[in-house]
Amino acid sequence: MDHGTEARSNNQGTIDLKATENIQVGSLVTAGGAVEITSTGGAITDADAGTDLDVLNLEADSVLLFGSAGVGGPGAAERLETKVSSLREGNGGSGGFYLWNEGDLTVGPKDGVSEEDKLYVFGSRKELDLCL
């Protein structure tokens, strides 16, 4: 997705992206639904990294994120900006896992995010529940 590109589901559906290479995320929005992104041979990155920190990359009830070479990046401009209540499953592979979340966030269940994963969650002062 290019910077400024948006995919929207106005019902409780699932937005599902799969690729064997890198996936750049513009804006994925689903009202009460889920977003699932899988990159089996690359990273999941912020399409607007460094240009617009106010645009949410993911807005959904729950997300599953698997990037074999990472999810987001360590710099503030590289993190995926999200507004989700549940990170059901996630794996940042060799590149780590970096989110900035707006609001409360539950991470888990145990079979989704392991204790060995490098998970970095940044955001406003809200509740973070880890179900590991």
Side-chain angles (χ1 to χ4, degrees):
M1 299 179 84
D2 291 328
H3 169 61
T5 302
E6 179 179 284
R8 181 177 290 272
S9 170
N10 291 323
N11 58 29
Q12 294 182 343
T14 297
I15 297 174
D16 190 3
L17 298 176
K18 290 184 180 3
T20 58
E21 305 265 332
N22 293 334
I23 298 175
Q24 288 189 328
V25 179
S27 179
L28 301 174
V29 180
T30 179
V35 172
E36 300 178 5
I37 304 174
T38 303
S39 174
T40 57
I44 301 169
T45 60
D46 185 345
D48 67 357
T51 60
D52 197 347
L53 298 177
D54 295 328
V55 174
L56 292 173
N57 300 114
L58 305 172
E59 188 171 350
D61 191 45
S62 66
V63 296
L64 290 94
L65 300 170
F66 293 96
S68 65
V71 173
E78 299 170 303
R79 300 175 193 145
L80 289 183
E81 294 93 15
T82 64
K83 183 176 183 181
V84 300
S85 56
S86 173
L87 173 61
R88 292 190 348 241
E89 296 184 62
N91 188 329
S94 62
F97 198 101
Y98 300 85
L99 293 181
W100 184 94
N101 193 65
E102 182 179 309
D104 297 345
L105 177 65
T106 299
V107 178
K110 184 173 180 160
D111 61 344
V113 180
S114 77
E115 295 171 5
E116 292 81 32
D117 287 335
K118 297 176 185 172
L119 174 66
Y120 304 91
V121 178
F122 305 87
S124 53
R125 294 181 182 159
K126 297 290 183 174
E127 186 172 324
L128 173 65
D129 293 324
L130 297 175
C131 304
L132 300 177

